[in-house]
Each structure stands twice: as structure tokens, then as C-alpha cells.
Amino acid sequence: MSQIQLFPDESMTKKCQSAASIEILSAADVLDTLSNTESVNTIILDPWYNKGVGGTRPDYHDWLSGVIAAASRKAQHIFVWGFPEILAFQIPNIPEGFSLVSWLTWYYKNCPSVIRGWRSAQNACLHLAREGATVYPENFLNGKQLERWKTGKMRFVPGPPSVLEVPLNVGFVGRNEQTGHPAQKPLAVIEPLILMSTGENDTVLDPMCGSGTTGEACLRLNRRAVLCDSSEEYLSVTKGRIANYVRTTNGR
């Protein structure tokens, strides 16, 4: 499987093998990607949701169960995005050795839906983790809290809420992030997943990366990322986005 690599700072990468990096694979089906990549800390799965944009398939629930099972063989943490009524079918099929850590909700008020009736205002995300997998709630502490935690003065580490209230990137909202992908997620709903499941320099795999939000989030948080998608078009968008972020960050 061919690939390209992009680094936030090439000179730093030569000095330090642990520098954050992005590896972008050639376009491939998600199951092929999961079969051919090395084990990682975290996998983020963001498939089409079998309604609206992206079309439908009659075997969607069985297919998604197979994708989750394949991911469970390569990661300690798995995040699976979808609408609540779609993801509900996956709860009885959680892979052996994994458990449901949290049912996360992304809540947004600015959905431009023209459907007559209830207007969609949420996505769900299942956080599945292997038994004994490390979580990192300390990544959400402020400076003073972090000092207390490091000195052992905190009885417990308060984690973030399981509801992420972040507006959709539509219209003037999130204009600097918008790539034109019809189902693009804001950085603000991907970054918490990475922070909860990884430490610095850990690796995140996104085999359905769309426009590359996971990749940019990993660079911002000093994590490694492996990205792939079945669409050559969106991989091209991802490459441009990551390259632009690298240039902007380095002042080039």
C-alpha cells in the first residue's frame, strides 16, 4: 500500500523520531486498510450513516459490525460515529474483550435541515475500549488542576462531559475549517476523542478520513496519524489541508 508522509517540522523530525507526523495511504476500502495497517492506540470510524448523503445499503448493520470487529484487532480504543438510531444496533455486537466506555453525543443547534418535522440536532459516537485500556482524563485538566494531579493531591480526575456542544461548520460558522466535504466534523468534536484515548506521540488511525479533520487534530495535539479513505477526491482534499496546516504552522 503506497503512502506519503507529512511532518509539521521536517528539521525537528530528523532530530526526534517521536515528533508528530501524518501518514496518508493510497485510497482503499476500510476493511482493506484495517487489514493492512499496524496496530495503533486509537481508531476513529466515521462511515456514511446509511441515510441522506452517502446513500444506503441493505446490509449496513452487518457491514458496520464487521468493520468494528476488524478495528478491534488493531486498537485499544475505537470511536464509531453515526446517528443514534443507527448506532443502537451495534450495542449488542460489541467485540469480545471490548466494552462501551461511553455513548457520546455531539449536539448542534444550527442544522440547516428543510425536513418538515423534527430537525436533527445530534450525532452519536460510541467509545469502545479494550479491557484495561488506558484513558487520559488528565489531558482535560487546566494548569492548576494538573499541578495538583501530578503531586497526588487530587482524589479523582474530573473528566469532560459526554455531550459535545459544538456548532456545525456551515455558513459563516467554522469557515476557516470548511473544506467542502458534505459531512465534515469540526476539530472541536474530534480533539476530545484523541485527548481521552491517547498520550502525546501515540498513533491514531482514521481509515475513513474524509477531509482530514483527524489528521489536523493530531498535528495540533502532537499525535501521530495514519489516514486513508476510499475516495481519491477526498484524499486529495486531505493532502491539501494537511500541507496547508504545515505551511501555516511553520510560517511558510
Side-chain angles (χ1 to χ4, degrees):
M1 186 179 290
S2 61
Q3 61 193 40
I4 68 169
Q5 290 184 314
L6 295 169
F7 301 96
D9 188 329
E10 293 181 2
S11 61
M12 272 191 66
T13 303
K14 293 175 182 177
K15 297 176 183 178
C16 179
Q17 292 297 317
S18 63
S21 66
I22 301 294
E23 185 176 328
I24 303 177
L25 308 177
S26 299
D29 177 77
V30 59
L31 290 173
D32 290 335
T33 302
L34 291 171
S35 175
N36 294 321
T37 51
E38 300 294 325
S39 294
V40 296
N41 301 87
T42 297
I43 292 176
I44 296 177
L45 300 173
D46 191 7
W48 296 115
Y49 302 153
N50 213 41
K51 59 187 298 186
V53 175
T56 62
R57 53 186 295 170
D59 64 339
Y60 186 86
H61 300 308
D62 290 337
W63 170 80
L64 184 54
S65 291
V67 172
I68 295 171
S72 74
R73 295 189 281 272
K74 294 295 179 77
Q76 299 295 307
H77 296 269
I78 305 169
F79 292 94
V80 190
W81 285 98
F83 288 112
E85 64 271 25
I86 302 294
L87 288 184
F89 286 91
Q90 298 304 321
I91 299 300
N93 301 319
I94 293 173
E96 184 177 356
F98 277 70
S99 60
L100 177 64
V101 176
S102 184
W103 177 297
L104 303 172
T105 298
W106 170 27
Y107 168 54
Y108 43 83
K109 299 178 181 179
N110 63 330
C111 179
S113 172
V114 295
I115 295 174
R116 186 169 182 268
W118 294 108
R119 178 166 55 91
S120 177
Q122 64 173 307
N123 267 191
C125 183
L126 304 181
H127 179 189
L128 311 178
R130 187 179 298 279
E131 294 174 5
T134 302
V135 292
Y136 299 85
E138 64 270 18
N139 286 338
F140 297 87
L141 299 179
N142 61 36
K144 289 186 177 180
Q145 290 174 322
L146 197 56
E147 287 180 11
R148 292 182 59 202
W149 175 73
K150 288 181 177 179
T151 57
K153 295 181 179 179
M154 295 187 78
R155 290 191 303 164
F156 67 94
V157 180
S162 60
V163 176
L164 308 172
E165 187 172 352
V166 180
L168 291 168
N169 287 339
V170 295
F172 291 99
V173 177
R175 173 163 283 188
N176 292 336
E177 291 185 34
Q178 292 176 24
T179 65
H181 191 287
Q184 181 185 349
K185 289 187 171 53
L187 286 162
V189 301
I190 297 297
E191 289 179 345
L193 314 186
I194 296 170
L195 287 170
M196 182 59 82
S197 63
T198 66
E200 286 196 355
N201 303 313
D202 282 345
T203 302
V204 179
L205 168 63
D206 189 338
M208 306 180 204
C209 69
S211 62
T213 302
T214 295
E216 182 174 336
C218 283
L219 288 180
R220 289 173 177 270
L221 298 172
N222 200 28
R223 269 69 168 173
R224 300 169 182 266
V226 179
L227 308 177
C228 192
D229 199 274
S230 62
S231 167
E232 292 277 8
E233 176 187 357
Y234 290 131
L235 275 181
S236 179
V237 173
T238 291
K239 292 172 186 176
R241 177 179 184 176
I242 297 302
N244 181 65
Y245 176 79
V246 172
R247 285 193 301 268
T248 302
T249 301
N250 292 338
R252 297 174 185 171

